[in-house]
Amino acid sequence: MSMDTFHYDNKIVRNFGIAAMTFGIIGFIVGLIIALKLIFPDFLGFIPELSYGRLRPLHTNAVIFAFAGNAIFYGVYYSLPRLCKAPMWSPVLSQIHFWGWQLIILSAVLTLPFGITTSKEYAELEWPIDIAITIIWVVFGVNMIMTIMKRREKHLYVAIWFYIATFVTVAVLHLVNSFEVPATLLKSYPIYAGVQDALVQWWYGHNAVAFFLTTPFLGIMYYFIPKAANRPIFSYRLSIVHFWSLIFIYIWAGPHHLLYTSLPGWAQALGTVFSLMLIAPSWGGMLNGLLTLRGAWDKVREDPVLKFLVVGVTAYGMVTFEGPMLSIANVNAIAHYSDYIVGHVHNGALMWNGGLTFAMLYYITPKIYKTKLHSVKLANIHFWFATLGAIFYVIPMYWGGITQSLMWKQFTADGFLQYPNFLETVVQIIPMYALRAFGGALFIVGAIFGVYNILKTAMNGSLVDQEEAQAPALVQTGEESGGHWHRKLEGKPLKFTVLVVISILIGGIVEYMPTALIDSNIPTIESVKPYTPLEIEGRDIYIAEGCNNCHSQMIRPFRSETERYGEYSKAGEFVYDHPHLWGSKRTGPDLHRIGGKYPDSWHLRHMYDPNSTSPGSIMPAYPWMLEKEIDEESIPNRINALRTVGVPYADGYEKLAIRDLRAQAEQITNGLRENGFSSVEGIEITSDKQIIAMIAYLQRLGVDISGTKDPFEGLPSNARMGANIKEN
Amino acid sequence: MSSSSTITTTNCYHCGEKCVEDELISDEKSFCCAGCKTVFEILNNYDLCTYYELDEAAGNTVPNGIERKRFDYLKDEEVIEKLIDFRNGTTVSASFYIPNIHCPSCIWLLENLQNIDEGILSGKVNFLKRKVTFVYNSTSTSLRNIVELLSTIGYEPNLKLGQLESDQREVKDRRLWLKLGVAGFCFGNIMLFSFPEYLNLDQSVSSNSFKIFFGTLNIVLALPVLLYSSVDYLKSAWAALSQKGINLDVPISIGIIALFGRSLYEILSGTGSGYFDSFTGFIFFLLIGKIVQQKTFEQLSFNRDYKSYLPISVIKISEDKELSVPVDKLEIGDQVTIRNQELIPADAVLVSEETQIDYSFITGESEPVLIEKGTLAFAGGKVIGTQSDFVISKKVEHSYLTQLWENEAFKGEDKKISVTSFADRISPYFTIIVIGIALLSLAIWLQIEPSKAFTIFSAVLIVACPCALALSTPFTLGSTLNILSQNGLFVRSTSVLESLSNTDTITFDKTGTITESGNTKIDFVGSTLSADELRFISSSCRTSTHPLSKTIYKELNTKSLLAPDDIHEVPGKGLFANFGNTSLWVGSQNFLIEQTDLSYSDFPDSSESGSVVHICIDNKYKGYFRFENNLREGIGSLLAKLSGSYSTFLLSGDNEKESSRLVGLFPNRKSMLFNQSPIQKLNFIENLKQQGKEVLMIGDGLNDAGALKTSSFGIAISDDTSAFSPACDAIAEGDSIKNLDTYLSFSKAAFKVILFSFGISLCYNLVGLGFAVTGHLSPLVAAILMPLSSVTIMAFTYSVTRVIAYRMGLRIWE
Amino acid sequence: MGVIVVLIAFSLTVALGFLAAFFWAVKSGQFDDPETPSIRMLFDDKISSTNKNKHKKS
């Protein structure tokens, strides 16, 4: 009875490893493609599925959820059973988890390039996939928790805590951020609008980074650094403090992504303060990791695993310092919307996530294949490619970001914008884009060496797919009962207070939820009206094409921005924006006040060939908008869905919607004809084409606040019919 | 023993000791002794050789052959019950203290013993405490089997009489951490919910509903902190007041109540947002302080009494049967057998012919004494050489050693704790002043603007809350404790540091304190010895257990050794050995005269202070080895430095023969006392204290225990801090004692730091008061002032103590 | 900005969950020994009694 014998499932570990590598390479390459597209807009021609706006979400999803995601599971499925001295609880769940996750990724590949997206960053996948994600995530959670329950080692090593935190928090984040109402099978609208949607989105967005790209990798760090260096972590005490402090601060740093937006000032400041507080735990963790290697640097010199770990942890240190700095209002004012942020995240992604992942691959593969690494030399070469690649990527981005953002803010002596034409600021940094692409390419080459090396290693050995292990069963001694007497003493008041807290909390929540969800306490502006059917279609095309990846719709209250774009954005203007389209990056100019700035014909030509209106523009051309047709029949569903989430369309409007849509489309098309735009380069312009909807939407952007005309005016259904604010 | 005289330099695969002539081979690995070989074979047999892969030569050298009966007493249910932690049906858990635990391999092996003994369910090692806890199934194995197994593989647990008396189960008090957790959690969230208020959210309707929402949340979150986290302070304050006393917790509690009450009122009445963030933060920091203050060195134990030295059992001989019995069951008249190196548990009369007893434990006299049949041997004496039989003449609890302990000096409960005594002393004035100011401002404002009066009254009470004040002491002392420990002085707790800093008189024990036991230097007087002769001598001395022969063997440290063809030892007198045709005598004058044809005339008339061992080869007198205890390195300069500012004394249990060497170290002969019995030492210190001196006593063995305990601050020296040391306030690593003067001045400095940080925190309070009395104490001001002051104090004390330590040349970082 | 209430509600519940976990951990003695676990995790559990000669190396 003394020793249990059991088997670690190395096969599932191996599979996750393969998945991570495969999707890693794919994700990187997609990244390189879009990087090149910023230098050569015509790169890969005019295939809608391969346009920048659609590939960019594919890239982020691929590297975050496919590469990093599989890497996390790779690490967890290897380390957790070994820390618990128990195999994963259910091989079946492991399988479901693995294949389910890969299917989700596949579905991402099959939706995002086809314009099926929610436009919410890192949550672009549409509702059916959201549900799938939830299920699979729970499968993972159950499998993990049960393994922990069935463990043979009493103590939960700190890494396990980080894994648990990952599971719980990501589950909640995903849930909260995915409250959406389906309009069609592949189209949904979030229940939150405008500011609220933005807040939720970035509360999620930030914590996705925190709990998907940080905590699990910290767990991995706490397992693999000691293992690789074969020495205990510098201070185990510190690692425990690290965990608990991180857990209690992280969740609140979200709002710093919305500084200077229409988010209430105090909420923004909140984000800043808590972000700043984060430095302490983050650096505690980093130092703990690095100091573990003190006196072992000779090892680091030889061992590629340690090399990657060290650089990874160092990068983590840099990024976690940068983050809080960027959350300081004045810094943020410069860095936000610029390429600096792109550099910042890739610093973390390439070295911290990438580095740790490759470290794991180099550590685990030889172990589970019972052999040595095929070529240490090659691994070192990989290391240098990766590091140089990261440097060549990050530094130009920092440089370009700051340059451009300063140009945006540059005024002439007599108070005019120095670079009134946004394009000037873009052209300026294209060389940086080139360098970035080069860096990325280096990183990919390195990664390919890595993959080759791993595969070779695997071939040299043979997989021990069921690794036998032994450990004594965990005996449930009544030891704690030794402490019972004092529990009884302090237990009661404690339990009491805890219960009080929880109950009152729930009470309070129940009380506030309705008010919270119904009236969204946003100062409403009388003249702001819902979108017309055609504009809705236009907006959904805007989303499908991923315009928000390069164009913000949020003018910050800086003179430099009001000069350039017009009056700054008010919270009240977004109350009908499901979802918000504030964007987080300005590769192109802000569009919130684009409405009425140019004639329809300008938009027509610009969409067909940006260079015709703005020479040197790197915006992709959208010729297909002149050919693809407006999706009319789903309009009623969309109206209904939007009504459900609170847009005040009068009941029954969905029946009149299509008529309105056609009417408005006709108006625009006629307008174009009158100005001699009955066709562009031989393509006839008809009212049923997407371009018309797009124009309608763009011309509507940001005009309501002036309150000059009711958008429904002149539509078959009169204004009152269209939207009746009073009703809600 | 094979007597093939090989010359070899291989090291033992098990323990790493160098293997000498009788190298043993098993599985192509060489071992220094049968013991190590056995262990290896066991491990190998049970496939536990990972043990050797984790660390090179991880093993401990094992005394050859462990007789099973030694552990017979572990069959005794009573004994078992006392030793185990708890029992749960047939599942039993028992913990042992095993000094030999020294490396990861040890952990690994001890946690994998189930491979050897099926009955063991689990083993868990606590590396710091060198403790292993086994859970075993009492039907399939027994405590005795486990202890035996441990001993055979070189991890003999340290079973001492003490364990039978005090029950070992330490109930870990983790409440403080829970309280800290709650406080921290609520603090964090309340901060979050108070922020909007400070950044005063826009005056829209919506923000008003937020005010209410956040307000309620804050109240909800503040409750657990009041009812759970802060409750100790309230209790202690109440206790103090009910005894008409005032301790620091009184003003703290006033602050707590004022903070909570005021905040509650503000929120409920909607007049403000309250100070809950300050409140919770305040508790949070206080608790951190408490935890820092409670820092102790778990791995060391400071309060051991003589029982921790006595074996738990002895072999009793009744009608020629040997059985081991717990010593506390010994009756007068029982005959017992004490082996080499074992302690005599109770005063007993020797029945064997003669034996050597080392009393260094009780008297400090390093040299063993020879006693004949019929002499009374005292408990605590260590038998040297062959095993010998005794008849118990006093029960353990009446023995000399025990009497020593019965002395009231030991009865005296622990020295009175003076943790915050510093702060406590000033807290009455503090409190009174605060309340005074509060009332005053109340009165004044009642004149000016009655409406504001009570707000201001409470505000004063709030800011006056001596948070920083309460933190200064624990944080300073905490980091002082840390620094000292990093320099090899482990102080029992922050509470005793004050008495260390007040020291004005220092008394030293001699043996093992200012002289380094173990490090005795020998030199040979007489005709020079040839290499071969030296080899003979050390080879033969190696086999003897007598301390002097051991020293010779160690000091000569001959590379290659020989196995004597014939050797026999007369315990405590000398030994005779035969190498080929050379015969060798090593021993006392009388021994040589008896055994050889030498006569007194052949011996030089030695007037040696230390002890001597004479050498005679082939009936020719060669000369003698002279032994001298070395002074600890640096002790001279230390005493020189000390003599300036402190009065120093020597209290030695030893005879005066070495006094000559010590003259000059101490101010004058009067300050050097020899032949001091433990009681005398104790009384001497008592007198000093009578004269109002703050006496620091430094000693090692049990003989100093009394002195250490009576002294204002007792430091026990031990070259292995995990080994047993008598009750004391601090344990010092042997070589660290040379810096004693630095430690003293450092501890003095620490208290200056406290004073200074008091100053700082008072400033904060004054600033706060300024705001308060003028009616400008907004929650924001409080929320900034409170954490700021606490953090300042933490940072200040931490850094300043380290700077000072650094200046004094102390280590401040591992 | 009512959504903030929602976020707070969720975050607070999560946080409370972790607080509970913290209590469990401290009470069940998870953090009593802050040293050995970090060493223990370094051992990879070898299988004993199966092909011994595997261990005869070193």
Side-chain angles (χ1 to χ4, degrees), chain B residues 13 27 44-45 47 53 104 107-108 111 124-127 172 174 178 181-182 185 189 210 213-214, chain C residues 1 5 8 12 15 19 22-23 26-27 29 32-33 36 40 43 46-49 52 55-58:
Chain B
Y13 180 66
D27 193 40
N44 191 20
N45 186 15
D47 199 23
E53 292 159 22
I107 303 179
W108 184 84
E111 294 189 350
K124 278 268 168 282
V125 174
N126 184 324
F127 191 62
K172 302 180 202 67
R174 307 153 176 148
L178 295 180
V182 173
F185 165 78
N189 284 286
F210 272 117
F213 177 63
F214 289 144
Chain C
M1 286 318 297
V5 178
I8 287 175
L12 215 50
L19 186 64
F22 177 75
F23 266 74
V26 173
K27 284 194 162 193
D32 287 356
D33 177 358
T36 330
R40 191 176 291 126
F43 312 143
K46 285 240 174 77
I47 319 94
S48 59
S49 68
K52 283 192 178 183
H55 293 293
K56 293 277 172 71
K57 60 172 160 23
S58 111

Side-chain angles (χ1 to χ4, degrees), chain B residues 536-689:
Chain B
F536 294 150
I537 295 172
S538 61
S539 305
S540 43
C541 285
R542 175 166 165 270
T543 63
S544 158
T545 57
H546 192 284
L548 295 182
S549 354
K550 279 200 169 128
T551 322
I552 296 179
Y553 168 64
K554 197 164 121 283
E555 290 295 303
L556 290 181
N557 173 33
T558 337
K559 285 287 149 289
S560 61
L561 292 128
L562 304 163
D565 304 323
D566 164 29
I567 182 158
H568 88 104
E569 178 176 4
V570 180
K573 297 185 136 204
L575 55 78
F576 161 80
N578 221 331
F579 298 85
N581 47 19
T582 327
S583 47
L584 161 77
W585 289 267
V586 182
S588 67
Q589 192 170 23
N590 314 13
F591 175 74
L592 264 62
I593 289 167
E594 285 171 24
Q595 300 263 324
T596 65
D597 23 17
L598 298 177
S599 68
Y600 283 96
S601 54
D602 302 324
F603 291 85
D605 46 356
S606 67
S607 57
E608 288 300 337
S609 64
S611 34
V612 297
V613 168
H614 299 271
I615 305 292
C616 165
I617 294 175
D618 296 336
N619 280 325
K620 263 190 258 45
Y621 181 77
K622 287 290 186 179
Y624 60 84
F625 285 100
R626 184 172 55 185
F627 297 79
E628 251 185 7
N629 264 0
N630 274 359
L631 291 183
R632 275 189 193 279
E633 176 219 352
I635 202 79
S637 51
L638 169 69
L639 285 162
K641 276 182 259 165
L642 289 175
S643 56
S645 33
Y646 307 86
S647 44
T648 52
F649 294 92
L650 174 75
L651 294 178
S652 171
D654 250 339
N655 55 35
E656 282 184 56
K657 68 188 179 208
E658 283 190 89
S659 60
S660 46
R661 282 170 61 214
L662 302 170
V663 185
L665 290 184
F666 289 88
N668 52 41
R669 283 202 168 276
K670 265 198 242 51
S671 59
M672 295 193 293
L673 298 84
F674 292 95
N675 303 317
Q676 293 287 303
S677 76
I679 297 291
Q680 287 169 298
K681 289 185 172 188
L682 186 157
N683 297 334
F684 181 78
I685 291 181
E686 271 296 305
N687 300 338
L688 286 175
K689 283 176 80 181

Side-chain angles (χ1 to χ4, degrees), chain A residues 81-340:
Chain A
R82 284 162 173 82
L83 287 170
C84 292
K85 300 217 176 307
M88 286 309 287
W89 178 61
S90 153
V92 181
L93 288 189
S94 305
Q95 289 302 321
I96 299 178
H97 175 198
F98 176 77
W99 291 110
W101 193 257
Q102 310 317 322
L103 283 177
I104 289 168
I105 293 161
L106 199 64
S107 59
V109 179
L110 294 178
T111 51
L112 295 175
F114 300 91
I116 300 159
T117 168
T118 65
S119 85
K120 291 180 138 206
E121 277 185 70
Y122 323 128
E124 285 92 351
L125 301 179
E126 263 301 351
W127 65 276
I129 310 177
D130 278 340
I131 295 170
I133 293 175
T134 320
I135 296 166
I136 296 304
W137 192 256
V138 169
V139 169
F140 163 57
V142 171
N143 206 2
M144 175 167 74
I145 302 292
M146 289 313 290
T147 311
I148 295 170
M149 293 288 182
K150 296 258 174 291
R151 70 191 189 279
R152 291 187 181 77
E153 160 65 56
K154 183 167 177 289
H155 180 81
L156 291 179
Y157 184 68
V158 69
I160 301 179
W161 284 109
F162 280 98
Y163 298 156
I164 297 175
T166 306
F167 163 64
V168 175
T169 327
V170 170
V172 174
L173 293 170
H174 176 67
L175 221 60
V176 176
N177 191 41
S178 308
F179 286 147
E180 49 208 1
V181 173
T184 70
L185 177 61
L186 293 172
K187 178 72 192 167
S188 67
Y189 298 107
I191 62 169
Y192 324 106
V195 186
Q196 311 227 36
D197 190 46
L199 180 57
V200 178
Q201 160 58 30
W202 284 111
W203 177 78
Y204 162 87
H206 174 83
N207 289 312
V209 175
F211 288 95
F212 202 85
L213 296 179
T214 306
T215 46
F217 282 89
L218 283 170
I220 285 166
M221 173 188 94
Y222 276 122
Y223 180 82
F224 286 94
I225 286 192
K227 277 294 198 182
N230 188 30
R231 39 170 56 207
I233 192 77
F234 168 66
S235 159
Y236 193 59
R237 263 200 199 78
L238 177 58
S239 70
I240 293 168
V241 177
H242 175 201
F243 173 76
W244 290 107
S245 44
L246 198 69
I247 283 310
F248 286 136
I249 302 179
Y250 231 137
I251 200 104
W252 278 116
H256 70 223
H257 288 252
L258 297 172
L259 291 168
Y260 293 112
T261 62
S262 320
L263 185 73
W266 55 270
Q268 301 182 19
L270 219 57
T272 307
V273 173
F274 275 77
S275 310
L276 285 172
M277 285 198 258
L278 265 175
I279 290 188
S282 307
W283 275 55
M286 172 196 68
L287 292 174
N288 207 356
L290 290 181
L291 287 172
T292 307
L293 299 167
R294 74 202 191 293
W297 292 105
D298 49 323
K299 270 200 195 138
V300 179
R301 227 168 285 114
E302 270 86 60
D303 182 0
V305 178
L306 284 174
K307 276 206 187 87
F308 273 108
L309 286 170
V310 167
V311 174
V313 175
T314 321
Y316 172 70
M318 285 158 62
V319 177
T320 48
F321 176 73
E322 243 176 10
M325 290 308 123
L326 287 171
S327 72
I328 296 168
N330 314 27
V331 183
N332 187 278
I334 296 173
H336 195 48
Y337 292 131
S338 84
D339 283 298
Y340 189 100

